[in-house]
Amino acid sequence: MTNTILIVGRGTAGTALARDIARKSDAVVVGFLDDFSAETDVLGPLSDVNRVIAQYKVDLVYFAIPSVAAKTIRDFLGTITRANVDIAVIPRTYEILTKETVNIDDLTDVDVLDLVGREPVKHDLLSSREFIAGKRILVTGAAGSIGSRLVRQIAAMGAAEVVCVDWWENGIFYLREDLAGQDNLKYHIADVKNEALLDRLFAQYTPDVVFHAAAYKHVPLMQDNPIEAINNNVWGTLNLMQLAIAHGTEHFIMVSTDKAVNPVNVMGATKRLGEMMMESLARTTTTTRFNAVRFGNVIQSNGSVMQTFRKQIAAKQPLTVTHKDITRFFMTIDEASQLIIQSAFAGQSSDIFVLDMGEPVRILDLAQSLVNAIDPTLGINIVGLRPGEKMFEELSYDPHRVSRTPNNKIFVVRDESDFDTTRFMEELRGLVAATRSYSLTDAEAIDRLRAMGFAVQMTTDSHASAGIAGHQ
């Protein structure tokens, strides 16, 4: 049976796609939809899509307008009512333009960013290269999705040595396999909580720069395991910061999260404690400059909502969203790793950097766009918020304290909250001593976080909702 195809957009991409279809398949292009063309093969504006589908018995709709705003794509996909029509939003890479349908695995970070309504941010890679070249760099969490991309970029920028640290043996194994032949890379299985081993690595390599990307990050899992969240995210970070000062490291950059702003969950609270440690220690030393980077949700990172959606689409399962109005900011892995590097030289010690990520996106809108573009037969289930999950994320406590940097897409947050750093560090060291010795219960650990001023929700049984998308 010959497929009938309708192409949306009679521009360069649309007409090239029509020629490819004619040359490489027996499918029939019935015509185009376009709001700005009056050619004879244009069957109507985009708003006529349902009429044209019915009149010409269309099997496939290809959306091929690369320059259009993402909202236009979402609005268009939302108007299509016929469930038996396959829809493909053509990604920008020409290699897959000849496919009859677009698979979920064909969608790149940039394509997903298109669906959520933001252009990718371009960074000053020349300045980054000048900063990195010739330096000894240590990266924690090097086997993770962000850490491994960071390692690749740093190695390509001419670093003298890149020390890759992670406790995840398989991840380090695959990273080394992928980057085989690069002599400036060193690989170490090490836990950031191991003070003696990390001290040995600092003494061996004397890093000029530390990029700290290692962390436990999954909100419901950390809500159920607060002691381990504190030990890894707080003690592990403090251990590294103290070693950086002791060994004369020039720059220390910590990866934080938007969940550190007004945190209501354990993970967010541990990340905010890391930021406050950074501010406290920055006042005690002139040898090491400390900075932090606050991310929104990295599209394709391990455990992200897009990974969950990919698995559900591949298994022909309904997409799960925790609440119809829940919103999140999104960024690509490349943006995240480039922002980490830029933050090492963009401001002054104790600055926290955030990226201009546009408007927050409703997760339900993202899910609906993916369903419409990939498999309109799939449903979406609203399953309820999980313990510790916020309806929306913020990038700063006080927007009036956010300033621009020379890169107009990167902002700096300074002096967000005043606190007694001496008293804070004493209280924090007491908390860490208790969690490291396991001398308190999980509930008591959360009570200690609440006593430190965080409105952290108490742990409840969230195992039944593990793995459901919506927070990442």
Side-chain angles (χ1 to χ4, degrees), residues 135-138 161-165 184-188 197-209 247 249:
K135 286 187 172 65
R136 297 179 303 278
I137 313 291
L138 188 147
E161 207 162 37
V162 185
V163 184
C164 306
V165 174
N184 61 341
L185 296 174
K186 308 296 179 184
Y187 303 92
H188 289 274
L197 178 54
L198 267 295
D199 185 42
R200 183 186 304 172
L201 293 179
F202 270 81
Q204 179 179 350
Y205 294 106
T206 59
D208 302 304
V209 184
H247 289 273
T249 298

Side-chain angles (χ1 to χ4, degrees), residues 131-207:
F131 173 76
I132 292 295
K135 286 187 172 65
R136 297 179 303 278
I137 313 291
L138 188 147
V139 180
T140 71
S145 48
I146 293 174
S148 60
R149 187 66 61 93
L150 186 60
V151 165
R152 288 176 171 86
Q153 291 190 355
I154 291 170
M157 289 177 179
E161 207 162 37
V162 185
V163 184
C164 306
V165 174
D166 206 302
W167 62 262
W168 183 24
E169 178 201 11
N170 284 344
I172 285 288
F173 171 80
Y174 289 119
L175 181 66
R176 185 166 68 174
E177 290 287 297
D178 289 345
L179 300 178
Q182 297 198 35
D183 297 334
N184 61 341
L185 296 174
K186 308 296 179 184
Y187 303 92
H188 289 274
I189 305 298
D191 191 323
V192 295
K193 301 188 291 294
N194 190 326
E195 185 175 6
L197 178 54
L198 267 295
D199 185 42
R200 183 186 304 172
L201 293 179
F202 270 81
Q204 179 179 350
Y205 294 106
T206 59

Side-chain angles (χ1 to χ4, degrees), residues 131-370:
F131 173 76
I132 292 295
K135 286 187 172 65
R136 297 179 303 278
I137 313 291
L138 188 147
V139 180
T140 71
S145 48
I146 293 174
S148 60
R149 187 66 61 93
L150 186 60
V151 165
R152 288 176 171 86
Q153 291 190 355
I154 291 170
M157 289 177 179
E161 207 162 37
V162 185
V163 184
C164 306
V165 174
D166 206 302
W167 62 262
W168 183 24
E169 178 201 11
N170 284 344
I172 285 288
F173 171 80
Y174 289 119
L175 181 66
R176 185 166 68 174
E177 290 287 297
D178 289 345
L179 300 178
Q182 297 198 35
D183 297 334
N184 61 341
L185 296 174
K186 308 296 179 184
Y187 303 92
H188 289 274
I189 305 298
D191 191 323
V192 295
K193 301 188 291 294
N194 190 326
E195 185 175 6
L197 178 54
L198 267 295
D199 185 42
R200 183 186 304 172
L201 293 179
F202 270 81
Q204 179 179 350
Y205 294 106
T206 59
D208 302 304
V209 184
V210 172
F211 292 107
H212 177 37
Y216 290 154
K217 67 177 183 177
H218 296 289
V219 170
L221 197 57
M222 293 305 98
Q223 201 68 19
D224 289 340
N225 297 273
I227 292 176
E228 289 310 297
I230 294 168
N231 282 342
N232 193 73
N233 292 0
V234 180
W235 160 242
T237 300
L238 179 59
N239 182 33
L240 286 164
M241 288 179 172
Q242 292 176 155
L243 288 170
I245 294 172
H247 289 273
T249 298
E250 296 174 6
H251 298 267
F252 186 104
I253 299 90
M254 167 193 163
V255 175
S256 189
T257 170
D258 53 9
K259 295 172 180 63
V261 182
N262 296 314
V264 298
N265 53 62
V266 169
M267 194 281 283
T270 62
K271 284 296 195 176
R272 178 57 188 155
L273 287 172
E275 293 179 352
M276 294 172 73
M277 286 190 300
M278 176 199 76
E279 294 180 52
S280 300
L281 293 177
R283 298 181 186 182
T284 68
T285 177
T286 58
T287 59
T288 303
R289 192 177 102 174
F290 290 97
N291 294 108
V293 182
R294 260 182 212 154
F295 287 164
N297 298 275
V298 180
I299 292 171
Q300 309 286 22
S301 64
N302 293 331
S304 70
V305 68
M306 270 302 300
Q307 280 202 341
T308 303
F309 284 163
R310 281 177 181 274
K311 292 176 182 176
Q312 291 171 336
I313 290 171
K316 299 289 185 180
Q317 297 174 344
L319 274 59
T320 49
V321 177
T322 57
H323 191 285
K324 66 182 181 64
D325 294 323
I326 196 167
T327 64
R328 292 294 181 265
F329 293 99
F330 284 92
M331 67 193 307
T332 70
I333 291 180
D334 280 334
E335 287 177 320
S337 55
Q338 291 166 13
L339 176 58
I340 295 171
I341 298 171
Q342 291 261 307
S343 69
F345 59 87
Q348 61 194 38
S349 191
S350 80
D351 282 350
I352 299 171
F353 296 94
V354 297
L355 184 74
D356 179 3
M357 291 183 287
E359 295 298 316
V361 174
R362 250 194 356 156
I363 300 297
L364 180 60
D365 291 341
L366 172 61
Q368 190 63 61
S369 294
L370 289 169

Side-chain angles (χ1 to χ4, degrees), residues 4-176:
T4 54
I5 297 174
L6 174 66
I7 297 177
V8 181
R10 200 192 180 282
T12 302
T15 53
L17 177 58
R19 288 194 298 271
D20 251 14
I21 292 170
R23 186 168 61 251
K24 298 179 180 179
S25 76
D26 59 357
V28 174
V29 176
V30 300
F32 299 84
L33 294 180
D34 199 297
D35 289 340
F36 303 102
S37 175
E39 298 292 334
T40 56
D41 52 2
V42 173
L43 306 177
L46 272 61
S47 58
D48 280 355
V49 60
N50 290 313
R51 174 189 64 79
V52 173
I53 288 173
Q55 181 177 343
Y56 291 90
K57 297 181 172 57
V58 172
D59 301 308
L60 304 168
V61 176
Y62 285 108
F63 194 102
I65 312 177
S67 60
V68 77
K71 184 179 184 304
T72 302
I73 300 178
R74 292 200 302 270
D75 291 346
F76 173 79
L77 295 176
T79 64
I80 298 178
T81 58
R82 297 178 65 88
N84 60 339
V85 175
D86 288 329
I87 307 165
V89 178
I90 302 303
R92 306 309 184 240
T93 49
Y94 182 75
E95 288 78 10
I96 65 172
L97 287 182
T98 59
K99 290 190 175 184
E100 291 185 350
T101 58
V102 174
N103 186 277
I104 183 66
D105 291 328
D106 291 325
L107 293 178
T108 67
D109 276 8
V110 174
D111 297 313
V112 176
L113 209 60
D114 283 337
L115 291 177
V116 303
R118 184 172 65 79
E119 292 293 321
V121 172
K122 303 298 183 183
H123 290 285
D124 182 2
L125 297 183
L126 180 60
S127 294
S128 296
R129 185 181 298 273
E130 291 174 352
F131 173 76
I132 292 295
K135 286 187 172 65
R136 297 179 303 278
I137 313 291
L138 188 147
V139 180
T140 71
S145 48
I146 293 174
S148 60
R149 187 66 61 93
L150 186 60
V151 165
R152 288 176 171 86
Q153 291 190 355
I154 291 170
M157 289 177 179
E161 207 162 37
V162 185
V163 184
C164 306
V165 174
D166 206 302
W167 62 262
W168 183 24
E169 178 201 11
N170 284 344
I172 285 288
F173 171 80
Y174 289 119
L175 181 66
R176 185 166 68 174

